[in-house]
Amino acid sequence: MMGKALPIWLLFCSSLLAQGWAPPPHPTALPSQPFFIHNVWYIGGVGPWDTMTMDPAAGQLYIAHGAVVQVVDVASGTVAGEITGLRGARAIALDDRGVYGYISDGPASRVVVFDRHSLQTVAAIKTQPDPRSLVYEPSSGLVFVVQSGPPAPPPPRDRRGRSQHQAGPHPNSESYITVIDPQSNSVMGWILVSGHLGYAQSDGAGQVYVAYTDRDALLRFNAPAVAAELHNRETQPENAAPGTGNSRPGNKPAAHNPELIDWTEGRGSGSASGGGFGEIRLGSGCGVPHQFALDGHAARLFVACADMTLEVLNTGSGQQVASLPIGSGVDEIGYDPVHDYIFAADGAGDGTLTVIRRDVATDTYAIVQNVPTRQRAYVMAVDPENGGVYLVTDIIGADLTHAGGIGSLSMKPINGSFQVIQ
């Protein structure tokens, strides 16, 4: 589709002027540049933002923005509603029936369940402290919520910046994955893992992948197998410990708890074997994975590495298929399975969007375009229905309300500058 301009929706931060800002000009699509900024929506709101999730069927974009989740109608560019009552929205997952959504409310140590039609909260489920990433896995019908403990010291690196610690996680770092049953809106169990976990994603066919943030690897497990193991333990009352399920929120589960799958170093090989747990090792040059995306159908994993490369891996063997240069400061990877594009958003560094095209027939990859975006435009969502890509950012300006000289000026987000586009 190189000769056809696909719409790319970029939440584009316009240039800051001394007395305010003006909307950026709309660039013209060129044959050599099929991706371009098409429109800008200023949706406002306050506080920091985290992740975004696209609902292609409903044409709605969910944005975790401070204490609310903003729901943007992508046909009109307007805010269709908000999900409120949160302390700090981190991530949003949607079920495969178009009925419910799930929000990790980090500061409140809970997952909030909401009705996608009314945008009203229907349940709040306590989790381990400070949940962040979460994923709805369709084949098991379960929600997996990642909560990491205090981060371990970063692994040492050689003079070329390559990791010198690949044998295993820091011994004092542990993470939990809370398993939620959406049928009862209750905690079904926990998975205990050595290491510091971050972003999670499902391939849609039963496998869940979670990136480590303290080493060069990703965790992989089979969601239906985990569900079966937890169910088997629940049906063995003679082994059950008191206070299971949702009655012990925020506490470290006891090692004998039948709802705990222990996959920590040296302890969990037997108890977790039913969940198909394993790891995909990355090359030493990759460093800790920043973000990743999945093509479950083609068994391909797209990983953003610390060395400014995008690694394409086989999800089964972990073997490298391709490696491509991307910009600095990549914080999110997106994938369009309909048009076979991979996107790398590096708003935390270069302020561009790297567009990579996959040739399905040869399974080869090439950079199509580097689209200029803006600084801080690093959160992304992809709409596979129309090939649209959405980024968000705001404008930072000098606070002129306080007296003082140039040296005393502080920078802060400009009110009303948080933005999205069509």
Side-chain angles (χ1 to χ4, degrees):
M1 304 190 71
M2 293 296 295
K4 182 178 179 181
L6 299 177
I8 178 168
W9 315 116
L10 300 180
L11 292 165
F12 185 76
C13 177
S14 58
S15 300
L16 177 65
L17 301 179
Q19 301 298 324
W21 68 89
H26 295 163
T28 302
L30 300 175
S32 61
Q33 297 182 349
F35 290 91
F36 58 96
I37 296 169
H38 183 72
N39 207 345
V40 177
W41 305 322
Y42 291 95
I43 64 171
V46 297
W49 63 90
D50 211 306
T51 64
M52 296 192 297
T53 299
M54 183 69 202
D55 182 351
Q60 291 184 326
L61 182 67
Y62 293 84
I63 306 171
H65 191 185
V68 303
V69 169
Q70 293 172 299
V71 185
V72 176
D73 179 81
V74 298
S76 63
T78 60
V79 177
E82 291 185 342
I83 302 160
T84 60
L86 307 168
R87 289 182 57 188
R90 297 280 179 76
I92 307 109
L94 307 176
D95 69 10
D96 58 350
R97 298 178 297 155
V99 179
Y100 296 112
Y102 306 86
I103 305 167
S104 57
D105 189 358
S109 297
R110 64 179 183 170
V111 167
V112 172
V113 186
F114 67 93
D115 185 295
R116 285 157 66 179
H117 300 286
S118 67
L119 302 183
Q120 297 299 307
T121 296
V122 298
I125 307 167
K126 293 298 290 184
T127 67
Q128 295 293 310
D130 199 27
R132 180 166 289 277
S133 183
L134 79 166
V135 59
Y136 174 86
E137 201 292 302
S139 64
S140 65
L142 299 178
V143 176
F144 295 88
V145 189
V146 177
Q147 303 109 267
S148 297
R157 300 195 172 265
D158 63 16
R159 287 179 295 178
R160 295 184 179 181
R162 295 176 299 187
S163 173
Q164 296 294 293
H165 178 64
Q166 303 176 44
H170 191 277
N172 297 323
S173 179
E174 290 182 341
S175 298
Y176 284 97
I177 301 174
T178 297
V179 185
I180 292 176
D181 178 9
Q183 297 298 319
S184 60
N185 283 332
S186 63
V187 173
M188 189 175 180
W190 298 273
I191 304 168
L192 177 62
V193 179
S194 288
H196 199 262
L197 296 178
Y199 178 72
Q201 192 173 142
S202 166
D203 68 356
Q207 298 294 322
V208 176
Y209 297 78
V210 191
Y212 286 100
T213 62
D214 58 356
R215 54 191 166 123
D216 312 331
L218 285 86
L219 172 69
R220 176 181 59 196
F221 61 88
N222 183 275
V226 168
E229 183 167 346
L230 290 172
H231 178 73
N232 289 338
R233 295 182 180 199
E234 288 177 347
T235 59
Q236 298 175 6
E238 67 275 8
N239 296 325
T244 59
N246 208 26
S247 62
R248 300 174 60 215
N251 296 321
K252 180 175 179 178
H256 62 275
N257 192 326
E259 294 181 337
L260 174 68
I261 295 179
D262 188 345
W263 203 68
T264 51
E265 186 177 19
R267 290 191 291 158
S269 59
S271 63
S273 59
F277 285 80
E279 293 181 355
I280 295 179
R281 294 285 181 176
L282 307 175
S284 60
C286 180
V288 294
H290 285 193
Q291 262 276 7
F292 66 92
L294 283 163
D295 180 357
H297 179 73
R300 291 295 178 263
L301 183 66
F302 313 112
V303 183
C305 297
D307 63 350
M308 297 171 57
T309 62
L310 180 120
E311 303 292 334
V312 182
L313 306 174
N314 183 300
T315 58
S317 65
Q319 181 179 3
Q320 185 186 89
V321 177
S323 178
L324 300 101
I326 54 178
S328 64
V330 171
D331 200 64
E332 192 147 3
I333 297 293
Y335 173 60
D336 177 358
V338 176
H339 306 96
D340 288 297
Y341 283 103
I342 303 103
F343 305 95
D346 58 7
D350 292 346
T352 60
L353 181 76
T354 303
V355 183
I356 298 170
R357 175 72 187 273
R358 177 175 65 181
D359 187 310
V360 178
T362 60
D363 195 25
T364 55
Y365 301 79
I367 295 175
V368 173
Q369 192 177 346
N370 285 300
V371 184
T373 58
R374 298 295 280 186
Q375 294 294 319
R376 292 159 58 84
Y378 50 77
V379 174
M380 173 170 51
V382 178
D383 185 350
E385 293 288 328
N386 60 17
V389 178
Y390 302 81
L391 301 172
V392 291
T393 190
D394 63 3
I395 298 173
I396 300 295
D399 184 2
L400 302 179
T401 62
H402 293 86
I406 296 296
S408 65
L409 289 177
S410 62
M411 306 299 287
K412 56 185 284 188
I414 295 176
N415 291 336
S417 67
F418 188 68
Q419 49 195 260
V420 188
I421 296 180
Q422 182 179 359

